[in-house]
Amino acid sequence: MASGRYTRIDARGKSSNYCSTIVVVVIVAACLVGAWITMSSSVDPTGYVGMSVGKDAKQHIASEKSSREFEDNSGDLPEDSLKGNIEQASERDESDSKSQENENVVQESENSGESGQQEKPEKSGSDEDERVDANKEKEVESAKDEDVKNAEEDSNTGGDETTEKIKQESEENNDDSKIKTDEAEEKSESEESSEGAKEKTDDSKLKTDEAEEKSGSEESSEGANEKIEEVKDETDSQSQEQVSTESESKDKAELLDETSTQTGAWSTQKAESEKQKVSEKSSDSSSEDQKAYKWKLCNVTAGPDYIPCLDNIQAIKRLPSTGHYEHRERHCPEEAPTCLVPLPEGYKTSVRWPKSREKIWFANVPHLKLAEVKGHQNWVQASGEYITFPGGGTQFVHGATRYIDFIEKTLPDIAWGRRSRVVLDVGCGVASFGGFLFDKDVLTLSLAPKDEHEAQVQFALERGIPAISAVMGTKRLPFPSNAFDIVHCARCRVPWHAEGGKLLLELNRVLRPGSYFVWSATPVYRKDDENVAIWKAMSKLTKSMCWELLKIGKDTVNGVSAAIYRKPMSNDCYENRMKSEPPLCQESDNPNAAWDIPMEACLHKVPTDPSERGSQLPAKWPSRLDKTPYWLKETEAGVYGKAAPKDFIADNKHWKRVVADSYMDGIGIDWSSVRNVMDMRAIYGGFAAALKDLKLWVMNVVPVTSPDTLPVIYERGLFGIYHNWCESFNTYPRTYDLLHADHLFSDLKKRCNLKAVMAEVDRILRPEGSLIVRDNAETIAEVESMAKSLHWKIKFTFSKDNEGLLSVRKTRWRPSEVETIRSAIA
């Protein structure tokens, strides 16, 4: 068409005259000036000129939305601005949101309209010497119209991938979008170039809004759960694409208040350096990640139940003695394993709480020995493809609920779920006692060794009941002093009276002053010689420890009795004893030192200073959860640098906001399927506190290299444990639904093999379980790379200002290559 026009003008060129040539020059110059003005008006005033639009632009737009939606400090506490004017923050973020929308419109208009405008001056200039007849003005106008039309056709067929994709989505979901698109194109063809560009800009914005609105409505109708379940056969690139889809569908105003943290407001995506764009850098590196980390399957005697620090068979064989249960204690291999534990054959997604309290899949814990030995006591029974739990125990054959009510009836001051909130159950069996105490709003940490009672703690955790594998042997329990409201033992098979009462003295260390020890065992009510001798020895020991025997209750239904003791709240009794047996501990003996510390047969004094922890009972539940511990001093700095009480309050507010505004909606976690949770670096327990209204429990872990804040966690009515993450945790494989790591991995990189840490995370986490990581951008990138190599699904990843948030989901993938762990082979 252009060739024909140019030929016709050449044929008539001989009749041109000087005057007409000047007219042409003037008209063309006017067109150039008009086009230049139009182009200048579409340029971003911040200098954001010539940005390429297409797939990269779409990622840019999605990331900008994510930055507003999930922006939050990755673990530091809010500044004093946390208490500032929220309305001002909202106005500022709303203004930023509008500004970003305008930027998106400009980018699209540059691609669709500007390309045509830039071509027009070139074509007009090339025709200048050829338009020489008397009708040249009319033909110039005709050429302009045709050029605009051609430019738009080029743009629609490949120039603007973002606009085209939006149009395709709109056509699939809404015919009205297609009609508006066609109308807009027709309108742009019939108008001047400047007006056409403006109209196309408005239309692009309209189509974008409609596409986002449609996408949001589809997600709400079909549910985010559908996306989360589709994890088994997806590629890593599809997972990354899902991240962007979920981010785009969120409400922009959801997290307006979440920028008020210590590190200040997050920078824009435009201002990020290449190093900080972890999400973009890692999105296309799936195959490289899988090659960078090579994983193997653990070949060990314990098979799918491998616990590295409890199954170090070679170290156990070298022990000089096992008379104090040394063989049940931790013996970690010199190098933490980096292999992956195999799945049991036929493994299934765990039964959800509360049904899991009554039954679990046999395939997940395929052990029958305990059912054969304890089935008559209603501990556990085999029932087809399930293992069932009638709710009984050795001391409560007719059910835990009746037994729990019996204890409170014996001593009403126990007041389950009000005064007594945190319980330690020693020798727990399958933890039915703790499982049914949930109905009383009581948290029970069940404790039992990995012994001949096959997989009892594994049964407990698969049921959704808190438990750890541990033994009362030669080392202190990994808990602070004066922590538990009640310690319970029902036929726990612990020789409390032996060796000067060393084991009972360890319970005295962790029991809160003024709180109770409930002992339901045969020496309390049986009169044979052995039981009578044990009762006499226990009576002598408890009296010398100044424990007061409050009452012995008889459970006529279960045919058992329970003795209830109380620990003193003063040192008067200790000072007035006729004999100092057991002796008082040395002043240098720190009762809070609990990690890998040998037990001592001595009594720690009770705190008596009113400002000292343990001198007062905590407030009743649930008010104690948010109440600042009375022993936090204004003159002492907290973990984050503020005065300790303010530090605590700020941390509490911070996690409530993060959980409500970020974690609950938008990072790819189905909270209805979450029961067993672990906070791998808990600090004050703010994360666990923010989850209190959900039907779950949180194991708060305080790393041994972190500030000792575990006493604060217990004061709040929560529980936790000390641990060294360079070693394996005392739990069975596949026992937690969600792990949370706040600035943990960046610290561990300095001390541990990070690959071994990820192997441990994989061991603990259930298939389909989630890991949330908050850390610096470099660490986020490294963990994300490892997760991809493990074939995990990336549900959400975001980094800005060198801080990042990552949410990943474990799959059932296991490697085919095998690695034999010599230390774990019998």
Side-chain angles (χ1 to χ4, degrees):
M1 183 176 181
S3 175
R5 184 175 71 245
Y6 295 156
T7 302
R8 179 165 54 88
I9 294 175
D10 288 341
R12 300 181 58 182
K14 295 179 181 180
S15 62
S16 61
N17 57 56
Y18 178 77
C19 183
S20 60
T21 301
I22 294 177
V23 173
V24 170
V25 172
V26 171
I27 292 174
V28 171
C31 292
L32 286 170
V33 172
W36 177 81
I37 294 173
T38 303
M39 292 168 59
S40 300
S41 64
S42 65
V43 175
D44 188 288
T46 62
Y48 208 12
V49 182
M51 176 179 178
S52 62
V53 181
K55 193 168 293 184
D56 292 340
K58 182 177 179 182
Q59 292 176 354
H60 170 79
I61 295 169
S63 299
E64 286 291 323
K65 291 174 183 176
S66 297
S67 69
R68 290 192 300 276
E69 189 175 329
F70 295 99
E71 54 188 25
D72 185 29
N73 176 30
S74 56
D76 293 340
L77 289 177
E79 295 270 12
D80 294 336
S81 61
L82 182 67
K83 302 177 182 179
N85 192 330
I86 296 178
E87 293 181 0
Q88 292 178 356
S90 300
E91 291 174 1
R92 180 176 65 252
D93 289 341
E94 287 174 358
S95 175
D96 292 342
S97 177
K98 292 178 180 178
S99 175
Q100 180 58 34
E101 289 177 359
N102 291 336
E103 287 183 7
N104 294 344
V105 172
V106 169
Q107 293 157 14
E108 292 178 358
S109 66
E110 286 176 352
N111 189 70
S112 59
E114 183 180 319
S115 59
Q117 294 167 10
Q118 289 175 345
E119 288 180 8
K120 285 182 293 184
E122 292 177 2
K123 291 184 182 294
S124 297
S126 66
D127 294 341
E128 179 181 347
D129 296 330
E130 299 173 321
R131 296 176 184 148
V132 292
D133 64 320
N135 297 323
K136 53 192 165 298
E137 181 176 348
K138 179 178 178 181
E139 291 185 4
V140 169
E141 292 296 327
S142 175
K144 285 168 57 180
D145 292 342
E146 289 177 355
D147 288 344
V148 169
K149 184 175 181 179
N150 291 336
E152 288 178 351
E153 288 175 353
D154 292 342
S155 176
N156 290 336
T157 57
D160 189 347
E161 294 177 14
T162 303
T163 306
E164 184 63 24
K165 184 164 184 176
I166 294 173
K167 277 193 282 184
Q168 290 174 0
E169 293 172 350
S170 300
E171 288 169 0
E172 293 173 2
N173 299 326
N174 191 341
D175 291 340
D176 292 339
S177 296
K178 182 176 181 181
I179 293 171
K180 292 180 181 180
T181 301
D182 295 338
E183 290 175 352
E185 290 177 353
E186 292 173 3
K187 186 173 182 179
S188 65
E189 289 176 3
S190 63
E191 293 181 353
E192 294 293 327
S193 60
S194 60
E195 291 296 318
K198 178 179 179 182
E199 197 65 37
K200 194 170 183 65
T201 298
D202 295 338
D203 184 60
S204 299
K205 179 179 179 181
L206 176 61
K207 287 184 292 182
T208 303
D209 294 340
E210 288 177 350
E212 289 179 359
E213 182 178 355
K214 186 70 177 178
S215 175
S217 64
E218 286 178 353
E219 285 190 6
S220 61
S221 61
E222 295 178 3
N225 294 346
E226 183 176 342
K227 291 181 181 179
I228 296 174
E229 291 300 328
E230 297 174 354
V231 298
K232 293 182 181 178
D233 301 320
E234 292 179 355
T235 64
D236 290 322
S237 61
Q238 289 173 323
S239 297
Q240 189 64 37
E241 187 173 277
Q242 180 176 332
V243 171
S244 299
T245 303
E246 290 179 353
S247 300
E248 290 173 3
S249 66
K250 306 306 297 174
D251 183 1
K252 296 178 181 178
E254 182 184 0
L255 299 182
L256 294 180
D257 189 39
E258 204 171 340
T259 59
S260 301
T261 54
Q262 193 170 25
T263 56
W266 295 74
S267 63
T268 64
Q269 180 72 17
K270 183 175 64 174
E272 285 192 12
S273 67
E274 197 63 30
K275 180 180 179 181
Q276 294 167 338
K277 294 179 180 178
V278 180
S279 178
E280 295 180 9
K281 182 173 67 175
S282 60
S283 61
D284 297 326
S285 59
S286 176
S287 60
E288 295 179 4
D289 292 333
Q290 294 180 18
K291 293 177 182 178
Y293 301 97
K294 189 174 181 62
W295 302 96
K296 298 181 181 180
L297 206 62
C298 297
N299 177 27
V300 293
T301 300
D305 298 336
Y306 178 46
I307 305 175
C309 289
L310 298 182
D311 290 320
N312 190 345
I313 297 173
Q314 298 306 314
I316 292 172
K317 287 180 178 179
R318 295 193 296 267
L319 291 173
S321 171
T322 59
H324 296 89
Y325 300 97
E326 291 92 342
H327 58 303
R328 306 297 186 195
E329 295 181 324
R330 292 172 59 85
H331 302 283
C332 299
E334 292 182 5
E335 293 186 4
T338 58
C339 55
L340 307 182
V341 176
L343 293 176
E345 185 176 353
Y347 181 86
K348 300 181 179 181
T349 300
S350 299
V351 178
R352 291 190 180 186
W353 182 269
K355 290 183 179 179
S356 61
R357 187 168 60 179
E358 279 71 45
K359 64 179 182 180
I360 63 173
W361 294 112
F362 170 75
N364 292 6
V365 191
H367 301 295
L368 291 174
K369 182 177 180 180
L370 202 58
E372 295 169 356
V373 175
K374 296 292 185 178
H376 67 287
Q377 296 176 345
N378 286 333
W379 274 38
V380 54
Q381 298 174 352
S383 179
E385 61 182 355
Y386 292 103
I387 295 288
T388 60
F389 304 89
T394 304
Q395 293 298 97
F396 39 92
V397 177
H398 298 288
T401 299
R402 184 188 297 272
Y403 174 74
I404 290 167
D405 291 339
F406 148 71
I407 292 174
E408 188 172 28
K409 184 177 179 181
T410 300
L411 187 66
D413 286 347
I414 283 180
W416 296 121
R418 300 182 300 281
R419 185 196 183 283
S420 298
R421 162 67 180 175
V422 186
V423 176
L424 176 65
D425 186 19
V426 180
C428 61
V430 295
S432 289
F433 177 71
F436 284 91
L437 271 173
F438 275 113
D439 296 340
K440 303 286 187 180
D441 215 4
V442 174
L443 275 180
T444 306
L445 181 53
S446 300
L447 180 151
K450 188 178 184 182
D451 59 9
E452 65 274 8
H453 281 172
E454 192 177 44
Q456 54 186 335
V457 167
Q458 190 175 17
F459 280 130
L461 288 162
E462 185 68 17
R463 297 174 71 187
I465 303 170
I468 60 169
S469 290
V471 65
M472 300 203 68
T474 66
K475 303 289 182 65
R476 286 181 179 177
L477 296 173
F479 312 121
S481 67
N482 307 322
F484 291 95
D485 301 325
I486 287 182
V487 176
H488 172 259
C489 162
R491 292 283 289 274
C492 54
R493 301 175 62 192
V494 177
W496 299 118
H497 61 289
E499 298 193 17
K502 182 182 293 187
L503 301 182
L504 195 63
L505 287 165
E506 174 60 8
L507 289 192
N508 182 78
R509 183 185 72 84
V510 301
L511 185 63
R512 190 182 297 278
S515 292
Y516 310 109
F517 173 59
V518 179
W519 188 39
S520 175
T522 53
V524 179
Y525 54 90
R526 288 185 180 173
K527 303 303 179 183
D528 58 274
D529 291 345
E530 181 182 5
N531 282 298
V532 168
I534 293 174
W535 173 254
K536 288 182 178 179
M538 275 290 286
S539 297
K540 180 180 179 181
L541 175 61
T542 54
K543 185 176 181 180
S544 66
M545 292 170 57
C546 298
W547 281 14
E548 180 183 2
L549 177 59
L550 297 177
K551 202 165 185 179
I552 298 177
K554 295 183 179 181
D555 182 357
T556 56
V557 175
N558 288 301
V560 301
S561 296
I564 302 177
Y565 300 87
R566 181 170 61 191
K567 179 180 176 178
M569 293 195 69
S570 74
N571 295 311
D572 295 343
C573 177
Y574 298 154
E575 296 169 354
N576 295 327
R577 290 182 301 166
M578 298 295 294
K579 292 183 178 180
S580 294
E581 294 180 1
L584 293 176
C585 298
Q586 298 292 325
E587 292 291 334
S588 59
D589 189 328
N590 181 5
N592 289 315
W595 183 253
D596 199 28
I597 302 296
M599 287 185 188
E600 296 290 340
C602 64
L603 280 167
H604 291 96
K605 285 186 176 181
V606 172
T608 56
D609 187 328
S611 63
E612 191 175 359
R613 182 177 71 85
S615 62
Q616 304 176 34
L617 291 173
K620 292 182 179 179
W621 181 264
S623 61
R624 67 190 279 188
L625 181 66
D626 295 320
K627 186 175 181 180
T628 304
Y630 65 89
W631 39 270
L632 292 182
K633 299 178 177 63
E634 289 281 352
T635 56
E636 295 179 353
V639 173
Y640 301 104
K642 296 182 180 181
K646 293 180 180 178
D647 220 36
F648 172 85
I649 293 171
D651 178 79
N652 197 32
K653 290 180 179 179
H654 168 76
W655 285 112
K656 283 184 178 180
R657 186 177 64 255
V658 169
V659 168
D661 294 346
S662 294
Y663 290 3
M664 286 295 106
D665 187 15
I667 61 173
I669 295 175
D670 176 14
W671 288 93
S672 65
S673 65
V674 175
R675 173 63 183 173
N676 302 357
V677 179
M678 178 186 290
D679 191 357
M680 300 175 71
R681 182 176 176 266
I683 310 298
Y684 297 121
F687 171 66
L691 297 173
K692 80 175 186 67
D693 293 329
L694 301 183
K695 298 298 182 181
L696 53 77
W697 57 270
V698 180
M699 176 65 73
N700 294 282
V701 180
V702 173
V704 294
T705 56
S706 296
D708 185 6
T709 53
L710 196 52
V712 176
I713 291 170
Y714 277 92
E715 190 77 9
R716 305 184 71 174
L718 307 171
F719 59 48
I721 190 171
Y722 297 114
H723 183 61
N724 179 5
W725 281 116
C726 294
E727 303 171 354
S728 72
F729 191 80
N730 275 18
T731 190
Y732 281 84
R734 306 169 302 279
T735 47
Y736 283 84
D737 299 302
L738 186 144
L739 302 183
H740 180 258
D742 178 32
H743 284 74
L744 172 68
F745 290 104
S746 56
D747 176 66
L748 293 180
K749 287 198 302 182
K750 305 170 186 176
R751 306 182 286 109
C752 318
N753 180 349
L754 194 57
K755 184 180 179 182
V757 175
M758 281 298 292
E760 176 65 4
V761 169
D762 178 89
R763 189 186 71 85
I764 295 173
L765 200 58
R766 288 172 171 170
E768 287 86 49
S770 297
L771 168 67
I772 302 174
V773 182
R774 302 171 71 90
D775 221 307
N776 61 56
E778 179 184 353
T779 302
I780 290 291
E782 193 168 352
V783 174
E784 182 180 353
S785 179
M786 286 189 183
K788 287 181 178 180
S789 71
L790 287 164
H791 295 257
W792 291 9
K793 302 307 175 184
I794 311 301
K795 306 304 295 182
F796 179 83
T797 179
F798 180 74
S799 294
K800 181 177 275 190
D801 287 350
N802 200 35
E803 293 292 337
L805 173 64
L806 173 68
S807 173
V808 295
R809 171 183 261 196
K810 178 182 173 180
T811 66
R812 300 191 186 190
W813 175 83
R814 296 290 89 177
S816 57
E817 194 172 348
V818 174
E819 177 185 355
T820 298
I821 306 300
R822 300 295 178 187
S823 63
I825 299 294

